[in-house]
Amino acid sequence: MRVLVAEDEEILAELVATGLRRAGFAVDTVYSGDAAQAYLGLHDYDVVVLDRDLPRVHGDDVARGLVASGSRTRILMLTAAGSMEDRVAGLDLGADDYLGKPFEFPELVSRVRALRRRSARPVPPQLERYGIRLDTVRRTASRDGHELDLSPKEFTVLQLLLEADGGTVSAEELLERAWDANADPFTGAVRVCMSKLRGKLGEPAVIRTVQGVGYAL
């Protein structure tokens, strides 16, 4: 759900990030190895799309540090060097997957989704509660058999609530998991998104606000 793109070609990084956001991920971008290390230390990412040839701190060193820390973040390594020896070297560093440049974007999205499913918090292909059904693979949602027209952000928030299985999810956790690092915690983004989501889910209301704690389904 939350992805870090570490790529020194800024135009490529932003193109990748835009496409991943359209696929429903919350995405941050950095352009150097030291920035990647800083972000990985601050936020809990599901996947890092890691260019191997990063400036200041090499991508190999970023991968080594992530693996050594015991992080659950999965590593998809990108590189222009696509020989078998390069792929083996990248995987030996601890990368979970390897994709050579140039690549087809649908394949990148598919690989990121596959790595997300292999993370420490596996997501069932379908989530269901109170007549709401989410297909996390096809990214479709319905309630009582009626399709719901959800934005990527609304889908992600609803998925997090369903994953909680009746438990309460704080606004802070929703910001952490569904928004990128640029989200301002004081803008009321979670509250606005929740209001729109409630409207689309219809009656009877199923999302309740737990005062001072968060939201529950």
Side-chain angles (χ1 to χ4, degrees):
M1 253 177 236
R2 188 158 189 183
V3 179
L4 177 66
V5 175
E7 165 62 60
D8 67 326
E9 296 179 41
E10 295 189 20
I11 294 176
L12 176 59
E14 294 307 323
L15 285 172
V16 169
T18 298
L20 288 172
R21 289 184 187 114
R22 288 175 179 166
F25 295 98
V27 185
D28 296 322
T29 54
V30 293
Y31 314 116
S32 65
D34 55 341
Q37 289 177 325
Y39 270 62
L40 288 164
L42 286 171
H43 305 290
D44 184 19
Y45 291 99
D46 296 290
V47 178
V48 55
V49 179
L50 181 66
D51 181 38
R52 195 169 180 189
D53 298 314
L54 289 172
R56 293 201 286 274
V57 176
H58 198 275
D60 289 0
D61 293 323
V62 176
R64 287 191 190 96
L66 200 58
V67 172
S69 72
S71 171
R72 68 170 193 86
T73 301
R74 300 296 186 180
I75 302 170
L76 172 56
M77 191 167 277
L78 295 180
T79 182
S83 70
M84 182 187 70
E85 290 79 7
D86 288 306
R87 291 196 298 273
V88 169
L91 293 170
D92 282 346
L93 287 168
D96 298 281
D97 201 355
Y98 197 102
L99 191 59
K101 300 176 185 176
F103 52 84
E104 296 294 330
F105 194 77
E107 182 181 6
L108 173 67
V109 173
S110 178
R111 287 174 182 248
V112 170
R113 284 181 174 152
L115 289 177
R116 168 65 178 86
R117 290 194 294 271
R118 288 166 53 189
S119 71
R121 289 196 294 264
V123 178
Q126 289 201 347
L127 296 164
E128 190 168 359
R129 192 178 180 89
Y130 298 127
I132 299 167
R133 176 176 291 179
L134 249 65
D135 187 320
T136 62
V137 177
R138 295 182 178 85
R139 293 192 65 80
T140 58
S142 64
R143 184 176 186 187
D144 298 328
H146 300 288
E147 292 297 317
L148 299 172
D149 182 19
L150 303 182
S151 71
K153 195 73 66 185
E154 291 160 356
F155 186 97
T156 301
V157 168
L158 184 56
Q159 180 175 329
L160 290 168
L161 292 172
L162 284 165
E163 287 179 16
D165 197 25
T168 303
V169 184
S170 69
E172 291 77 12
E173 183 177 353
L174 290 172
L175 271 174
E176 171 70 20
R177 304 302 305 157
W179 275 262
D180 60 32
N182 296 316
D184 185 343
F186 302 106
T187 60
V190 173
R191 187 175 63 255
V192 171
C193 181
M194 202 64 70
S195 176
K196 292 179 179 178
L197 181 57
R198 282 170 164 148
K200 291 183 179 182
L201 289 173
E203 298 294 335
V206 290
I207 298 176
R208 58 190 177 90
T209 301
V210 182
Q211 290 298 330
V213 181
Y215 302 90
L217 194 67

